[in-house]
Amino acid sequence: MAKRTLPTSLKQITYRDFDIQFRRHPSTGKLLIKKDDEAVKQALKTLILTNFYEKPFFPRFGGNLRARLFDNFNSITAELFKSQIETAIRNFEPRVALAKNGVIVQQQPDRNTLIVTIRFKNVVTLNDLTLDVNLNRIR
């Protein structure tokens, strides 16, 4: 029996997603597409910024970070943020492998800001990536 091989275009897995800001290409007018590492970063950011019960039929989807932004900033809340992010990534993002100490939460209580840095590896491309997310309290 002859062994069939896949075309080279099917051997590589690529991730594609619409740009979440729905920007258009300047010359063609089509929606911009994010590919591979940028698509994974966008999905990861969307995941951690989603609160519980925001996604229909998936009540525990998300990092639930914005719901806790008005808690008092201290080392306990920083650890809580960190564990919520790690749990959300572990449960809902199979394309990401967190690095050791991959989630770093820095608090700036004077500026009402929380800076989250996530270091991870894309499991398909094996690229080491970093995502920075700033969360601000406005009230």
Side-chain angles (χ1 to χ4, degrees):
M1 184 148 98
K3 185 177 178 182
R4 288 198 269 178
T5 60
L6 292 173
T8 56
S9 63
L10 294 179
K11 287 182 182 178
Q12 292 182 339
I13 298 173
T14 58
Y15 299 114
R16 292 175 170 214
D17 202 359
F18 290 112
D19 183 11
I20 204 162
Q21 296 175 348
F22 291 102
R23 291 180 290 187
R24 294 177 175 258
H25 191 276
S27 60
T28 64
K30 294 182 180 180
L31 288 176
L32 290 176
I33 301 291
K34 293 208 174 192
K35 297 180 183 177
D36 293 326
D37 292 338
E38 292 301 316
V40 172
K41 279 184 175 182
Q42 178 175 287
L44 190 58
K45 183 176 180 180
T46 302
L47 171 67
I48 66 169
L49 291 179
T50 302
N51 279 338
F52 292 160
Y53 300 100
E54 276 187 27
K55 189 169 183 176
F57 306 106
F58 292 101
R60 297 309 250 167
F61 180 85
N64 205 36
L65 298 184
R66 287 183 290 148
R68 297 199 169 271
L69 269 181
F70 289 93
D71 291 353
N72 289 328
F73 285 152
N74 57 31
S75 60
I76 295 171
T77 55
E79 197 60 36
L80 181 64
F81 279 115
K82 182 179 174 182
S83 68
Q84 283 183 301
I85 293 168
E86 289 172 348
T87 302
I89 292 170
R90 203 175 320 112
N91 291 339
F92 298 109
E93 191 52 79
R95 302 175 289 182
V96 169
L98 283 174
K100 186 176 180 181
N101 297 325
V103 178
I104 300 167
V105 177
Q106 298 173 352
Q107 301 170 354
Q108 297 179 345
D110 295 340
R111 299 178 68 199
N112 294 326
T113 301
L114 191 71
I115 300 169
V116 178
T117 302
I118 304 171
R119 293 184 332 212
F120 62 96
K121 183 176 282 204
N122 184 337
V123 296
V124 174
T125 62
L126 300 177
N127 293 336
D128 291 323
L129 303 168
T130 302
L131 175 67
D132 293 318
V133 179
N134 294 337
L135 299 164
N136 297 320
R137 295 192 292 200
I138 298 178
R139 288 192 238 170

